[in-house]
Amino acid sequence: EATIAVEVEPHVVYTSSTPVEEFTNMEDEDLESNPKKLPGQYKVAIQELSAFSSSESQTWEGRARWVKGILGAACISLVAGVVLDLGKVVLPLGVRSQFIFKLFVMMKIVLGASAGSAYCLAGMSLVLPLQFNRVREEFMGAQQCLGIVPILVGAFILGCGMALAGGCTGKVLVQVGSGIPYSWVTLLGCFSGAAFYGIVQSKIEPYLIVGKMKSPKLEDYGPLKKVPFFVLATGLAVCMTIVIVILEVLYPWYETIPGGTTLWRTVVPPQFTGAILGILQIPAVLLLNETLGGSSAYMTYTSQFLRVCKDCPVVLGHLNSFRTGVANSCSAVALVFTIAGAAISSIAGGTYGKYEGVYPIEAFAGGFCVIFGSRLTSGCFTGHVFSGVALLSLKSMIAALTIFAGAITVGFVYFTVDPFNYTGRLGGAV
């Protein structure tokens, strides 16, 4: 019911999502050549961990973990929804404008969130090393067996979807809460993408290791090997902060705010919004034992339909792995409360339903690509750009650049063919 990670060797994490019957004694086998199989002694360890996990909610400690996780996810996502709505960075046509370099609101919030995350995680690596290392190793473990080719392909598809829908896995939730027209169609596209990936995952799984890298950690390469995480993360955060300052000098945020808003009442600086999101990494690590990210929530909701078919959980094992468990329940709660936070903010500020959305076909196709690309590259925009970059994941850095490459490509092609329908409808709204 839950994924149990067992660290066998540095940078390689095997999970209990591999059926127990596939584990074998590997006295004469090489772990790297057959990463899905474990030595016999680890089989017993995983069976014991799985048994503990299945009875977790039946103990007081297990119940406390559930309550802490659910309440933490609700509070964190509620704040995120409010802050993202106030930043007005999730307006679909405004997001599109970033990809053709007409507006830089989105870039400021992205850099602000990444820098804020890096500052906070760097501090936690010194103050709370156990919690930080556990979360970082889990993040890196999820990327370890994923090759660079699926990361590039998935990230590019994700970027294309963002340019079409004008949002990502997290932004679409804020758009729904803010009453953006057809944002619910984008949401349907996201769920469809999640279902499709769950169906085809077993077919494409052999190709997900193409281009495997030695390690996803940035400091494991070249002259960076002797540099502590704190120094690297802080240096990266300072560089992003400098870029934010330059962008603000060249493109002041108050000159590009949406129409019908009031400074500091219904709209706040995007870099301020980003900084708050970065700070939310602290409660996420302490309460949820993970960093910010959102694509797994769509898998959790989609997987609930497996209950209607007796054999579906077995046939669609990957999708079924998202159906239950503390982490999956927390992500499902986070989805709902992000929408709620945006709704509270937009209704209180009088901006609910006042901004343009994209056309339904673009919304659905974009949502589909966003989730399918996120699952293929093992992380959504938030997971890679906000969290992965701050954790110094080389694969996330590559994914982040590729996401923007896909979005910029579609953005310029669409804008060249039909500038009015790409961003022209903004009119005086920005």
Side-chain angles (χ1 to χ4, degrees):
E1 297 292 335
T3 298
I4 307 299
V6 179
E7 187 172 344
V8 181
E9 60 182 1
H11 313 306
V12 180
V13 175
Y14 304 89
T15 71
S16 62
S17 58
T18 301
V20 172
E21 58 270 17
E22 290 188 16
F23 298 157
T24 116
N25 191 321
M26 298 184 61
E27 293 178 355
D28 301 319
E29 295 185 32
D30 178 19
L31 282 175
E32 288 195 5
S33 66
N34 201 344
K36 285 190 177 183
K37 298 188 176 182
L38 296 177
Q41 62 266 34
Y42 291 106
K43 176 178 177 180
V44 176
I46 288 185
Q47 288 175 329
E48 291 176 352
L49 286 168
S50 297
F52 171 78
S53 176
S54 63
S55 62
E56 180 183 30
S57 61
Q58 300 176 10
T59 65
W60 283 108
E61 183 181 356
R63 294 190 185 101
R65 190 177 293 110
W66 273 82
V67 172
K68 182 182 74 172
I70 296 297
L71 292 179
C75 294
I76 292 170
S77 54
L78 191 69
V79 172
V82 171
V83 170
L84 282 168
D85 176 74
L86 287 175
K88 295 297 182 286
V89 71
V90 299
L91 304 183
L93 300 185
V95 171
R96 282 180 165 185
S97 297
Q98 174 62 70
F99 301 137
I100 57 172
F101 306 110
K102 294 290 185 180
L103 290 177
F104 290 89
V105 176
M106 178 183 172
M107 184 56 67
K108 291 177 184 177
I109 191 174
V110 167
L111 290 171
S114 296
S117 297
Y119 283 126
C120 292
L121 292 172
M124 293 189 72
S125 70
L126 296 180
V127 180
L128 299 168
L130 291 178
Q131 292 89 331
F132 168 78
N133 288 328
R134 180 178 64 238
V135 169
R136 191 180 188 222
E137 289 302 324
E138 182 177 343
F139 186 94
M140 297 298 177
Q143 294 185 341
Q144 174 60 38
C145 294
L146 188 66
I148 194 64
V149 173
I151 287 179
L152 292 172
V153 174
F156 194 85
I157 293 174
L158 168 55
C160 293
M162 288 182 65
L164 286 174
C168 61
T169 56
K171 289 182 177 64
V172 66
L173 303 178
V174 181
Q175 292 169 1
V176 171
S178 302
I180 300 295
Y182 301 118
S183 56
W184 60 271
V185 179
T186 308
L187 195 62
L188 287 178
C190 289
F191 285 123
S192 299
F196 182 72
Y197 184 81
I199 293 172
V200 304
Q201 191 273 341
S202 61
K203 305 296 183 182
I204 64 176
E205 186 175 14
Y207 305 100
L208 298 181
I209 61 173
V210 178
K212 185 179 178 182
M213 298 171 60
K214 181 181 70 172
S215 171
K217 294 181 179 180
L218 181 65
E219 70 269 25
D220 286 340
Y221 295 89
L224 300 178
K225 288 185 176 181
K226 296 182 179 181
V227 183
F229 173 86
F230 173 81
V231 176
L232 286 174
T234 303
L236 178 63
V238 171
C239 291
M240 289 188 286
T241 303
I242 292 173
V243 176
I244 293 173
V245 173
I246 294 173
L247 287 175
E248 184 60 28
V249 171
L250 296 176
Y251 309 98
W253 75 277
Y254 53 83
E255 293 182 358
T256 57
I257 63 172
T261 56
T262 304
L263 294 180
W264 294 104
R265 182 175 177 271
T266 58
V267 61
V268 297
Q271 52 269 39
F272 174 80
T273 300
I276 296 298
L277 292 176
I279 294 173
L280 289 179
Q281 296 282 11
I282 297 176
V285 170
L286 296 179
L287 298 177
L288 307 179
N289 296 319
E290 63 181 9
T291 50
L292 299 180
S295 63
S296 62
Y298 295 91
M299 302 294 287
T300 297
Y301 279 104
T302 304
S303 66
Q304 302 309 310
F305 291 98
L306 297 179
R307 300 174 185 270
V308 302
C309 174
K310 181 179 179 180
D311 296 328
C312 285
V314 177
V315 176
L316 302 176
H318 176 77
L319 185 59
N320 187 59
S321 66
F322 292 90
R323 192 160 59 90
T324 59
V326 179
N328 292 326
S329 298
C330 290
S331 65
V333 168
L335 186 149
V336 174
F337 275 83
T338 300
I339 296 175
I344 293 171
S345 175
S346 60
I347 293 173
T351 60
Y352 182 87
K354 288 191 174 182
Y355 299 104
E356 290 276 4
V358 301
Y359 292 122
I361 186 64
E362 299 170 349
F364 185 86
F368 184 96
C369 290
V370 161
I371 288 295
F372 184 80
S374 295
R375 300 316 307 167
L376 191 60
T377 194
S378 189
C380 61
F381 183 81
T382 300
H384 280 306
V385 181
F386 293 2
S387 300
V389 170
L391 287 170
L392 302 184
S393 166
L394 184 58
K395 290 184 177 180
S396 287
M397 293 177 181
I398 294 172
L401 293 175
T402 310
I403 290 171
F404 278 102
I408 291 170
T409 299
V410 171
F412 272 102
V413 170
Y414 193 159
F415 183 74
T416 301
V417 174
D418 190 356
F420 177 76
N421 283 319
Y422 184 71
T423 57
R425 290 178 291 134
L426 281 171
V430 174

